[in-house]
Amino acid sequence: MTASGAHQAAWGAAMREALAEAARAGARGEVPVGAVVVDAQGQVIGRGHNTREVDADPLAHAEVVALRAAAAHTGSWRLDDCTLVVTLEPCAMCAGAVVQSRVARLVFGAHDAKAGAVGSLWDVVRDPRVPHRVEVVSGVSADECAGLLTEFFADRRGG
């Protein structure tokens, strides 16, 4: 499902929080991807951004960092009534983490044609063979999310 005006309004504030996390990652030389986990009351209970380079951790994607923070906050790995909001379509690892954490909803900004596992290359979270179904809202602040990445990689290439 692509973000409609209603979805943009509903998830725009949380996406701004995720974009702020992405900016933190970019400022540290990390690929600028950010994520937040929002509880059923709309409160941010977990936040994260890519820290793979800084932490020398191949699993330190924004989604995993945010999900871990939310689980620590709630005291449970089950994030049943929560929503993960992330600036970039999750990869296969992160899509698997979304399913395993039992989040109710995934909201993301930019599609990832190279590694996206929520519709672009694969659709891990909606695969009928997995035991947990996740509602997906895509395209929230997509241009802004994609712009951060485009600018980051253009700077890396020197142009």
Side-chain angles (χ1 to χ4, degrees):
M1 170 183 306
T2 301
S4 65
H7 283 119
Q8 182 66 39
W11 298 109
M15 186 59 78
R16 284 189 296 279
E17 295 281 337
L19 281 161
E21 287 296 322
R24 287 182 186 92
R28 299 174 79 184
E30 299 277 354
V31 175
V33 177
V36 295
V37 177
V38 179
D39 68 12
Q41 291 73 43
Q43 299 299 308
V44 174
I45 61 168
R47 51 181 75 245
H49 56 269
N50 282 352
T51 61
R52 291 189 326 165
E53 301 297 331
V54 171
D55 293 341
D57 181 355
L59 304 180
H61 289 207
E63 300 94 326
V64 172
V65 174
L67 290 168
R68 284 178 173 158
H73 176 84
T74 64
S76 174
W77 62 269
R78 292 180 181 270
L79 301 173
D80 300 295
D81 295 326
C82 296
T83 299
L84 175 66
V85 179
V86 61
T87 58
L88 181 65
E89 178 183 359
C91 68
M93 176 185 73
C94 293
V98 166
V99 170
Q100 291 301 316
S101 66
R102 307 295 194 266
V103 296
R105 183 179 304 104
L106 168 66
V107 176
F108 71 88
H111 286 269
D112 185 352
K114 293 182 180 178
V118 185
S120 289
L121 294 179
W122 304 281
D123 200 345
V124 172
V125 302
R126 292 176 287 203
D127 189 308
R129 295 169 292 185
V130 297
H132 175 71
R133 297 293 175 271
V134 178
E135 177 188 343
V136 176
V137 177
S138 63
V140 174
S141 302
D143 291 341
E144 190 174 355
C145 293
L148 268 180
L149 292 159
T150 300
E151 183 178 316
F152 176 82
F153 287 113
D155 288 348
R156 289 278 185 244
R157 289 188 296 271

